[in-house]
Amino acid sequence: MRKAIVPFLALLAAGCSVGPKYQRPVLPAPVAYKEAPPQAYKEWHAANPSDSALRGDWWTLFHDSDLTALEERIDVSNQNLKAAEARYAQARALIKVSQSQKYPTVTAGAGVTSNRDSGTYALANSKTSSQFGDFSLPVDVSYEVDAWGRVRHSIEASRDEAQATAADLETLRLSYHAELAFDYFELRSADAEQKLLDDTVVEYRKALELTENRFEGGVAAGSEVAQAKTQLEATRTQDTDLAVRRAQYEHALAVLTGRSPAEFSLPARSIVDPPAIPVGLPSQLLERRPDIAASERRVAEANAQVGIARAAFFPQILLGAALGLEGQSIADWLNWPSRFWAVGPSVLQTVFDGGRRRATQQAAESNYEATVANYRETALDAFQQVEDNLAALRVLEQETATQRAAVVASEQSLELSTNRYTGGLVTYLEVVTAQGTALANERLAVDILRRRMDASVLLIKALGGGWDRSKLPS
């Protein structure tokens, strides 16, 4: 027995992992962003970013109490997030399933059988009776020696998948928080536009009264009254139509926070100005984006799967043991001679499988290459999204300045046209034209502000919302 055990122990000592050692794929990360931040980001420094300002509750950058209150409800009320959290808990449980392979499997049972041998067999074997009972109480122990790293790679794959699922959860969480902020600022821009139209309706009503008074005094034509009334009613229609858009965004906010639209309402408020967002270095984006972290973890998982596939080419080494009691009656279990035991190793090697193991390895290696490509593409998409929104904020900031000047000029033009009309120097058509121009410029100014807020939210989302790889579970 000892002569058999010594070579077996030597075989165990020589065992090693046959899988490839994981190394994180190299990404083509730029040294700096191509798009410079807007002029409003006076404290932004590419080499020394204010990372501490963008952590966790990133929506507090907007200093909007209503937005903060809504964002705080997502984690506790959104049903899609609850489903993602359950999937993460499932992935964590599967780690323990894989880890259980490191330990022996112990089974116990009891068996009672009644047997009758043939009469011929009994005579041939000089048995006094061909009927007998078999009462057994065995305990079996089996253990797979992880000589080639199959079990270890299985645990690594499960752990990597759990970490990827955790990052998936954070990606979904970031998406919902960003979607809520996006819808919130869309609603607030509708509020700002509706206030503008409400004020405009008041001014147009005054203009209509002016034309009606002038018509009654015989100094204005009836067509001018019709023009003023048309302008007023058309603006009222636009004002009413905004209620549809606002209601839809309000309903979306209700669902995102886990409430029925019928149970939720948000009073009108003015829209805030966009904040300066700490952008940081391009390399830090890889730490901030949970979707990049999830993609990288799946590369590691695919690498572990390659190790599992390669281990299948080597023999499976098993240690087995059995012990228990057996007799022709339960009373025999009390007798010491009824004991039995067996212990010993076994080696199982697949000799022919029609190329299944080779194909499995090729599939695992191809899957690894695909995950590497997905990882790199995810990072490139992230860099693009940051650049896109930096460019949008920079251009929109320039548009804000020029549009502000256009609004002032159109208001001055309207005031002059109204005074000229009151003095009888021009027809009401000039006033109508000036009114339309002023309203269009003011609505465009509100729309530019809306787009700046949206781009700010999208930039924060592109930066990962302050999330980092250290949040991945071990």
Side-chain angles (χ1 to χ4, degrees):
M1 183 67 179
R2 292 181 179 177
K3 292 182 179 180
I5 292 179
V6 171
F8 178 72
L9 293 177
L11 177 63
L12 293 184
C16 61
S17 175
V18 297
K21 184 177 180 181
Y22 175 68
Q23 292 182 342
R24 183 180 299 174
V26 178
L27 289 178
V31 178
Y33 290 110
K34 174 183 177 182
E35 288 290 339
Q39 292 296 322
Y41 290 23
K42 295 179 181 179
E43 298 180 358
W44 185 87
H45 299 286
N48 186 25
S50 303
D51 285 348
S52 59
L54 192 60
R55 284 286 183 269
D57 301 342
W58 51 263
W59 47 86
T60 57
L61 287 172
F62 294 95
H63 302 292
D64 189 309
S65 58
D66 287 344
L67 174 62
T68 298
L70 291 171
E71 294 284 6
E72 290 173 350
R73 286 188 58 89
I74 281 192
D75 289 344
V76 297
S77 302
N78 189 275
Q79 298 305 308
N80 288 324
L81 277 180
K82 289 183 180 295
E85 288 169 354
R87 286 192 291 272
Y88 170 55
Q90 178 189 28
R92 291 295 298 270
L94 291 176
I95 296 177
K96 297 179 181 178
V97 173
S98 297
Q99 288 175 334
S100 67
Q101 300 177 74
K102 296 191 300 183
Y103 305 99
T105 299
V106 182
T107 60
V112 178
T113 60
S114 179
N115 304 277
R116 183 187 185 282
D117 290 336
S118 70
T120 304
Y121 179 83
L123 290 173
N125 289 276
S126 302
K127 284 191 174 183
T128 58
S129 174
S130 60
Q131 281 188 293
F132 61 93
D134 186 11
F135 293 78
S136 61
L137 186 65
V139 176
D140 295 310
V141 180
S142 63
Y143 175 69
E144 178 182 352
V145 179
D146 191 26
W148 321 114
R150 186 192 69 82
V151 173
R152 191 176 77 248
H153 286 308
S154 297
I155 296 171
E156 290 174 357
S158 298
R159 184 178 293 113
D160 292 334
E161 175 58 27
Q163 292 175 339
T165 306
D168 288 340
L169 172 60
E170 292 302 323
T171 299
L172 189 63
R173 195 191 310 278
L174 173 62
S175 295
Y176 279 120
H177 280 295
E179 183 180 346
L180 186 143
F182 190 93
D183 291 348
Y184 177 81
F185 289 123
E186 289 286 331
L187 181 142
R188 287 308 181 206
S189 69
D191 286 342
E193 196 169 351
Q194 194 151 38
K195 184 179 184 305
L196 170 62
L197 290 173
D198 288 343
D199 295 341
T200 302
V201 166
V202 172
E203 294 300 321
Y204 285 3
R205 188 181 297 114
K206 294 178 180 177
L208 175 60
E209 292 174 356
L210 174 62
T211 57
E212 287 176 339
N213 292 335
R214 287 172 59 82
F215 173 71
E216 292 173 358
V219 293
S223 60
E224 294 180 346
V225 176
Q227 288 174 336
K229 187 174 292 186
T230 300
Q231 190 86 324
L232 172 62
E233 297 304 328
T235 306
R236 279 176 173 167
T237 301
Q238 296 173 38
D239 195 4
T240 304
D241 187 62
L242 271 176
V244 176
R245 193 178 87 190
R246 189 189 192 280
Q248 290 173 341
Y249 282 114
E250 190 175 66
H251 299 162
L253 292 173
V255 173
L256 283 170
T257 54
R259 285 176 282 187
S260 167
E263 302 171 342
F264 177 78
S265 62
L266 201 62
R269 267 188 56 183
S270 59
I271 190 170
V272 298
D273 290 327
I277 301 168
V279 179
L281 298 171
S283 59
Q284 291 169 326
L285 180 61
L286 305 181
E287 303 295 323
R288 285 184 170 183
R289 289 273 297 230
D291 57 337
I292 295 178
S295 185
E296 185 272 332
R297 287 291 81 201
R298 289 197 164 90
V299 175
E301 179 185 4
N303 185 79
Q305 293 292 345
V306 173
I308 295 172
R310 291 182 181 177
F313 287 91
F314 296 86
Q316 188 177 14
I317 302 173
L318 302 173
L319 297 179
L323 68 155
L325 300 169
E326 186 176 21
Q328 293 188 2
S329 68
I330 294 180
D332 289 339
W333 290 353
L334 303 177
N335 299 325
W336 185 244
S338 297
R339 73 190 187 281
F340 69 88
W341 61 269
V343 62
S346 62
V347 178
L348 181 64
Q349 172 66 48
T350 301
V351 178
F352 177 75
D353 60 4
R356 177 177 56 83
R357 288 171 297 168
R358 179 65 60 188
T360 301
Q361 178 181 337
Q362 291 173 350
E365 291 171 348
S366 297
N367 181 60
Y368 172 79
E369 295 297 330
T371 56
V372 170
N374 290 337
Y375 174 47
R376 288 172 174 162
E377 184 64 25
T378 301
L380 289 174
D381 288 344
F383 292 129
Q384 178 188 349
Q385 291 165 11
V386 174
E387 298 280 12
D388 287 348
N389 289 290
L390 280 174
L393 285 171
R394 176 178 56 79
V395 173
L396 288 171
E397 185 181 50
Q398 296 172 357
E399 288 185 23
T400 298
T402 56
Q403 187 59 31
R404 188 179 296 116
V407 168
V408 172
S410 62
E411 289 176 347
Q412 293 175 346
S413 175
L414 175 58
E415 183 180 1
L416 290 172
S417 297
T418 303
N419 292 337
R420 285 160 57 84
Y421 173 70
T422 303
L425 299 177
V426 296
T427 65
Y428 194 71
L429 179 60
E430 182 175 315
V431 177
V432 170
T433 302
Q435 286 175 334
T437 302
L439 179 59
N441 279 290
E442 289 170 345
R443 295 187 71 174
L444 182 56
V446 172
D447 187 65
I448 290 174
L449 178 57
R450 175 191 65 80
R451 291 164 61 194
R452 289 176 67 196
M453 300 305 296
D454 291 347
S456 296
V457 172
L458 293 176
L459 176 58
I460 291 176
K461 182 181 178 182
L463 293 170
W467 189 90
D468 61 76
R469 289 180 189 271
S470 65
K471 293 186 178 182
L472 285 175
S474 60

